[in-house]
Every structure is written in structure tokens, then in C-alpha cells.
Amino acid sequence: MNELSSDLEPHYATVLARNPGETEFHQAVAEVLESLAPVVRKHPDYLHHAVIERLCEPERQLIFRVPWTDDQGRVQINRAFRVEFNSALGPYKGGLRFHPSVYLGIVKFLGFEQIFKNALTGLPIGGGKGGSDFDPKGRSDNEVMRFCQSLMTELYRHLGEYTDVPAGDIGVGEREIGYLFGQYKRITNRYESGVLTGKGLAYGGSQVRREATGYGTVFFTEQMLASTGSSLSGRRVVVSGSGNVAIYAAQKAAELGAQVVACSDSSGYVVDEAGLDLALLKQVKEVDRARLTAYAAERGSARFVAGGSVWDVPCEVALPCATQNELDDAAALKLVENGVLAVAEGANMPCTPDAVRLFQERSVLFAPGKAANAGGVATSSLEMQQNASRDSWSFEHTEQRLHEIMVGVHERCASAADEYGSPGNYVAGANISSFIQVADAMLALGVV
Ligand code: GLU
């Protein structure tokens, strides 16, 4: 990591000591603290009132057992988490991730990022995150339902539309949110729509929520390119991943005139020089829940490369939309050598710190996830607004609101970066702008 200022170094040392082994959380904290030296110099109050120590310590952390029975009648045990990180700006808000890699350090990194991401949207939402080491891959619908019901049987007591509002993340989509909401409704005997977001349209979901993270990433990229007089039109784009974020990032980029030529999954990547066929990709991934090999088998212009790195495919715009630390310095160098102009993180922290440094040194436009993927949670907040007012908005209106919000996120990052002496540095801008907003609220609320 970069050197921290002497004001901030002890806080980072405390985080390391109190959270041993949680490397992703350490990485997320370091990335924010590295931007804050000019802020605490200008506002020493933040140090005097221990705002940074308080921000790095979650308000509440829940860890619980989730027992469930598989289709063979065997009892299975998973571990689940909810980290309610910061509620200075609103109820805890953030997704649930179901993936075998989930442990406390992953949930804390995601929860910490979420505080700042949510602040950047300008909407009244605090930060939290949760999940489980449950692996939905290969599980039947009934197994997924029983797991979700068991998880909610414990989690419901900690939730509420004014308390904590989960949503999806990796491994948690509309199917899982439906089962979770059904169980919450049954236990509480309340139709409290605003307690979960990412719901299906049939029972209180919002238009555009499914598309929002990917669309938002592309709207941010468009703003970033426009700031240098450029645009997405005619650009060659590569996305990584092939889940919810990747699919809708690819769709919006294509709508704006880009040629999206590659995407990936955990077994390899697909290159499709004719441009990805999004209807086919959706069928394979959303309906059949199959692998990208099935896409390549159906599509003459596509080539599947087993293993390897999707970042070897030359492109002008790279959108990492898979998972944390998927794009390292070697991949970054390859992208730079191939002439990449802009990189925007659709996933949470997909670029390693060395990769980010390399992009910045080589003057590649770089958008950190907490800014570039804020469109998902922003649209969750729009879903909460609709639920609270017992209303539902049209696709066009909701997309327009999302677009305005992403223009606002870009504007906040760009002006904070200018004000604090790092013009064009979206990492600094995102961290500074969101930190000040949360820190000011925390100061106003006193020592709580
Ligand atoms: N999991 C998404 C994120 O990383 C969305 C969270 C939400 O909608 O609450 O921001």
C-alpha cells in the first residue's frame, strides 16, 4: 500500500490488530485512508472526535448458524453474517452474498465499502452487508428455498424498513429475495415491502433494479469519458463476469454504440467478435443457470477459452464486473499495453491496489466500484421510496432517476478530487466526498 500520513497510520494499525486475518477488509480500509490525509489536515475535528476509529468499527456484527435439510434428507450447516456497519445517514443498507468464499473479512470489506458508496448516491441510506458460505451452485430450488427460510428465521429480528434493509449480491438474485421476503412476511405477519430490495415486480419490486448496477456502471463510464471529450460510441469493450452486473453493463454499453466482445465466468472466457448476443447470454445465465460453454456452443461467432484471463482480450474500455481482486497488476499491464482508455469497476474492489496504481500512473481513466457500481443500491433506495409511498414508477422514469443519480455521483467525485488537489483522481474524489458526508453526520449525532 501507499504510505499513510502519521495522523492516520495508528488507526490502520488498530484495524490490523483488531481484525486479524481479514485481508480484504484491511485492503478496503487502506484504500480509503490513503485518500484522507488532506481531509484531516483541513478538518482536524474528525480526528479529535475519533470519527475514523468509529467508522472502522462496525456498529453491530451478527454471526449465526443456518441449519437446513438437503434433498437427500441430510442436515447441512452453514454460517451466516450480517455486519451493520454504519447508520449515520440512514438504515443499514447492502446486499447478502451467498458464496463459499464468504467469511467475516469479506462481509466487513463489503460493508465498509457500502458506507461510502451509499453516501455517494446522495440518498438516505447507511451501510451494511451480509451473506453466507452457502453455495447455491448445483442446489435445487427447494434446497435454496429451505436455506433462505432458515436464514431468515434468525435474521428477521434484526431487520426492518427503518433498521436494516438487505438486498442481493453474488449468489442472491430475485429467486432468493422472494424466498427471504416470503419467510419474513410469514414470521412477522407484516407486509413490510421496504424491508428487502431487489424484489420481483409482482410483489413490490422496482423497474430497473435488475438492470441498475450494470446500467449505472456504464452511465458513470460515459460521464468519465465525456469529461475528456470522448464517448463510448464505437468503443471496444470487455466485461468480466457474466452475472447480473456484467449482463446489464454489456447491454447498456451496446445500446450506447459500443461493441462488447468478451465476458467470463469461473471456468474461462468467451470472445465474440460479432458482439455479445445478449438474448442468448440471458437465456444461458438467467434462465438455464448454465456455463458460458453453453453460450459458445450455440453461437457460431464465439470462441470459448478455458481458464486464462479475459483481460488478455484487447479493448478500449474494461468493465470488471465479477468479484474482488480479479484484476491484478499483470492483467492491468496487459490492458495498458493493449491501449485501454478507461476502466470502471462494476464489481466491488475487483482491481488489486497494484492494478489501480498502474492505471493511474499510465493515465488510464479509473472509476472505483464505490462510485461506478453505486447504481444498484441507488435503485434499491428508489425501490424503498416507491414502497414507502405505495407507488410504482415506469421503467423510463426510474431509469431517468438512476441516470441523474449517476451524474450526481460523478459530479461529487470530480469536484472533491479538484478541491483536494487530485484532479481526475476518482479514487480520491469518491473517498473524500463520501467520507466528509458520513463524518459530518457522525459529528452532528454525537458519540453514539
Ligand atoms: N450488493 C449491491 C452492492 O454491492 C446492492 C446492494 C443493495 O441494493 O442494497 O451495492
Side-chain angles (χ1 to χ4, degrees):
M1 64 181 280
N2 291 326
E3 193 103 335
L4 285 178
S5 74
S6 56
D7 287 338
L8 297 167
E9 218 290 318
H11 301 317
Y12 186 61
T14 303
V15 168
L16 294 183
R18 294 186 99 155
N19 305 278
E22 297 177 359
T23 51
E24 297 84 359
F25 179 47
H26 304 161
Q27 183 183 335
V29 172
E31 193 248 14
V32 171
L33 295 189
E34 281 172 12
S35 302
L36 296 184
V39 182
V40 293
R41 218 175 296 130
K42 196 162 163 185
H43 306 279
D45 250 20
Y46 297 145
L47 289 175
H48 300 153
H49 292 87
V51 170
I52 292 173
E53 292 100 303
R54 283 193 276 152
L55 254 171
C56 292
E57 183 65 19
E59 291 175 14
R60 189 177 295 109
Q61 306 183 54
L62 310 161
I63 306 181
F64 53 97
R65 183 179 70 185
V66 185
W68 56 284
T69 307
D70 70 18
D71 287 346
Q72 284 69 47
R74 282 189 302 254
V75 175
Q76 302 274 349
I77 301 296
N78 285 98
R79 184 178 286 180
F81 306 85
R82 186 75 183 164
V83 173
E84 298 181 333
F85 223 119
N86 191 291
S87 60
L89 298 183
Y92 308 108
K93 182 81 197 87
L96 296 171
R97 175 177 292 190
F98 293 171
H99 192 271
S101 64
V102 168
Y103 77 107
L104 189 57
I106 293 268
V107 181
K108 273 195 211 159
F109 122 63
L110 291 165
F112 188 74
E113 286 284 294
Q114 202 82 43
I115 304 170
F116 303 99
K117 181 195 309 195
N118 293 4
L120 276 176
T121 66
L123 297 163
I125 37 180
K129 201 85 183 193
S132 171
D133 57 5
F134 173 73
D135 187 357
K137 227 181 250 151
R139 291 293 176 192
S140 69
D141 280 356
N142 272 323
E143 289 178 317
V144 170
M145 180 175 76
R146 286 195 294 273
F147 174 78
C148 289
Q149 289 177 339
S150 180
L151 182 139
M152 186 52 90
T153 301
E154 173 62 32
L155 188 60
Y156 84 95
R157 70 190 82 244
H158 304 288
L159 306 184
E161 64 175 308
Y162 296 105
T163 309
D164 185 352
V165 183
D169 195 83
I170 293 171
V172 178
E174 263 165 55
R175 173 181 63 171
E176 290 74 16
I177 294 295
Y179 296 147
L180 291 165
F181 183 67
Q183 184 73 351
Y184 182 87
K185 183 174 82 61
R186 186 174 191 198
I187 295 174
T188 60
N189 192 31
R190 283 161 66 86
Y191 205 104
E192 194 186 326
S193 310
V195 74
L196 285 167
T197 60
K199 299 183 294 297
L201 291 175
Y203 63 97
S206 173
Q207 296 284 355
V208 194
R209 178 62 191 86
R210 183 190 294 183
E211 295 83 358
T213 312
Y215 277 23
T217 301
V218 170
F219 291 153
F220 193 96
T221 308
E222 195 190 30
Q223 292 298 307
M224 196 165 66
L225 288 167
S227 73
T228 63
S230 176
S231 83
L232 268 168
S233 173
R235 297 282 179 211
R236 211 179 135 87
V237 175
V238 167
V239 303
S240 63
S242 47
N244 169 266
V245 182
I247 290 174
Y248 293 97
Q251 178 166 310
K252 186 50 75 178
E255 269 174 43
L256 294 174
Q259 178 86 339
V260 188
V261 293
C263 66
S264 62
D265 67 14
S266 53
S267 58
Y269 64 93
V270 100
V271 189
D272 189 341
E273 290 293 342
L276 292 176
D277 177 339
L278 290 164
L280 176 60
L281 189 60
K282 285 181 198 172
Q283 176 66 38
V284 168
K285 285 288 161 181
E286 293 181 343
V287 183
D288 303 339
R289 296 180 188 272
R291 318 285 312 162
L292 278 179
T293 42
Y295 175 95
E298 285 286 315
R299 175 105 167 138
S301 53
R303 180 168 56 90
F304 181 77
V305 181
S309 166
V310 73
W311 306 120
D312 290 344
V313 180
C315 63
E316 297 166 285
V317 175
L319 304 176
C321 299
T323 195
Q324 67 275 353
N325 293 327
E326 53 154 311
L327 196 167
D328 63 10
D329 46 343
L333 190 60
K334 189 83 187 172
L335 283 165
V336 169
E337 284 167 358
N338 285 334
V340 75
L341 300 171
V343 179
E345 295 186 321
N348 290 310
M349 208 170 75
C351 299
T352 65
D354 287 343
V356 176
R357 242 182 317 271
L358 192 98
F359 291 138
Q360 291 177 331
E361 280 163 17
R362 303 295 185 93
S363 303
V364 174
L365 291 167
F366 176 77
K370 61 171 77 70
N373 72 39
V377 75
T379 308
S380 279
S381 191
L382 301 181
E383 184 172 333
M384 291 162 74
Q385 278 184 39
Q386 292 168 77
N387 295 151
S389 58
R390 312 224 183 287
D391 197 3
S392 66
W393 305 344
S394 69
F395 193 97
E396 292 69 26
H397 175 68
T398 316
E399 185 178 0
Q400 192 192 330
R401 289 284 295 120
L402 169 63
H403 190 263
E404 287 163 9
I405 290 165
M406 294 312 293
V407 170
V409 172
H410 179 268
E411 175 51 35
R412 277 180 209 105
C413 295
S415 52
D418 284 348
E419 191 184 332
Y420 284 85
S422 312
N425 183 340
Y426 289 94
V427 174
N431 289 336
I432 292 171
S433 160
S434 56
F435 170 80
I436 290 174
Q437 209 193 331
V438 179
D440 284 348
M442 288 174 71
L443 284 183
L445 298 180
V447 179
V448 290

